[in-house]
Amino acid sequence: MRASEYRHDNLKNMMITGFSSAKSMIDLANHILEKASSLEYLTLDTTRGYDRRNDKIDPCQCLQMSKEALLEAEKALLAIRIYVEGRVPSSVSLKVIEPCSNCHTETRS
């Protein structure tokens, strides 16, 4: 049996941290949507985990992202809109984590 023939019938919740605009990431998300018949939640985190609040420093400020990471997050958001959103079944809740607009701007490096 080839990998593309495997089904993931027990997978209910999936999170991909570090989701990017790379074709392999888009293919992975679409493969999961197609092969995981029991999937209820799919979370795509374009921040690579940087959206987590750093409570020790300031609970209202996210961890800083580089300009390159912010640009890739924008590309990933566009890729999700174009290549993934239209394939999400109505039974699946899609959550997309993007850089916090309060903490991240293009001018930060």
Side-chain angles (χ1 to χ4, degrees):
M1 182 177 275
R2 294 187 343 229
S4 63
E5 295 173 0
Y6 286 109
R7 299 212 45 92
H8 308 288
D9 294 329
N10 297 319
L11 185 63
K12 293 189 183 293
N13 189 1
M14 178 72 180
M15 179 175 191
I16 302 175
T17 302
F19 190 87
S20 71
S21 62
K23 184 180 182 313
S24 60
M25 287 289 192
I26 295 163
D27 289 346
L28 174 62
N30 287 328
H31 174 80
I32 291 165
L33 288 168
E34 181 182 319
K35 301 293 183 181
S37 59
S38 61
L39 189 68
E40 296 174 5
Y41 303 96
L42 175 61
T43 303
L44 303 177
D45 182 355
T46 65
T47 71
R48 300 180 184 205
Y50 282 97
D51 190 48
R52 309 298 190 280
R53 306 290 188 249
N54 189 341
D55 294 331
K56 293 179 182 170
I57 297 172
D58 181 349
C60 296
Q61 185 167 349
C62 302
L63 298 173
Q64 187 173 356
M65 290 177 70
S66 68
K67 184 175 181 178
E68 293 79 19
L70 286 169
L71 291 173
E72 179 51 44
E74 286 180 23
K75 289 179 187 177
L77 291 169
L78 182 60
I80 291 167
R81 286 187 196 108
I82 294 172
Y83 301 110
V84 179
E85 282 183 351
R87 294 176 173 229
V88 179
S90 60
S91 60
V92 176
S93 175
L94 174 64
K95 179 179 180 182
V96 178
I97 299 173
E98 57 187 274
C100 171
S101 61
N102 292 329
C103 299
H104 302 295
T105 64
E106 287 295 326
T107 58
R108 291 180 86 173
S109 57

